[in-house]
Amino acid sequence: VRLGEGSAVHLQHLQAPRAARTRSPATAAAPVQAAPLRDQQRDAARRAAHTAEGNLSLAARQLGISRTTLYKLLRE
């Protein structure tokens, strides 16, 4: 991709056209309220332990984490 003449890249080469930079309130995405990462990890650990029918070694392997990490998540 060639941005301009010569090897220099200038600010105008990096800016999007004005229409692409502005959004109307109707098209703006609503903020997503995600659970904190630790809560998501804890929920995944509990689901994996349930799916593995209490076999925590198997649950840890399925999640790709150590048993120690799984134990810590389940203890929280």
Side-chain angles (χ1 to χ4, degrees), residues 32-68:
V32 176
Q33 296 295 327
L37 179 59
R38 201 58 168 180
D39 291 345
Q40 293 177 22
Q41 291 171 332
R42 188 180 331 106
D43 292 343
R46 289 178 180 155
R47 283 193 307 274
H50 178 75
T51 301
E53 298 177 351
N55 183 337
L56 298 183
S57 294
L58 175 61
R61 273 196 309 275
Q62 290 174 339
L63 291 170
I65 61 176
S66 69
R67 284 183 305 158
T68 302

